[in-house]
Amino acid sequence: LHAIPLARVVAPGTGLRSLAMSGNGAFLVAGGADGKARRYNASNGTAEKEYPAGDKALEAVAITRNEQLVAAAGDDGKLRVFT
């Protein structure tokens, strides 16, 4: 079981809308109201990568089983996949 302080992980003002955790628990991806998905190190909360997924809020984020791809779906009706 991992305890992650989400208040520290999610950048202020991004408006957390969705969250996905990697299968091994090493990282998580947060989708924000600002249209960006962000990857964070689960053990220390450090931001590792940002995925620009549009200008509309993200309603869903997902990580593939092999943890190679991140998908983000937003209010603009588009699904974007990132490596």
Side-chain angles (χ1 to χ4, degrees), residues 2-35:
H2 294 280
I4 302 166
L6 289 180
R8 189 178 100 208
V9 171
V10 179
T14 63
L16 177 65
R17 300 293 292 265
S18 54
L19 188 66
M21 185 119 198
S22 64
N24 65 6
F27 67 93
L28 59 93
V29 174
D34 62 352

Side-chain angles (χ1 to χ4, degrees), residues 14-18 31-36 53-60 72-78 80:
T14 63
L16 177 65
R17 300 293 292 265
S18 54
D34 62 352
K36 293 182 176 74
D55 296 330
K56 305 282 185 179
L58 298 181
E59 296 301 328
D75 281 345
D76 61 2
K78 295 180 181 176
R80 293 173 176 87

Side-chain angles (χ1 to χ4, degrees), residues 7 13 21 33-34 41 43 51 60 68 71 73-74 78:
M21 185 119 198
D34 62 352
N41 180 301
S43 64
Y51 307 96
Q68 298 299 308
K78 295 180 181 176

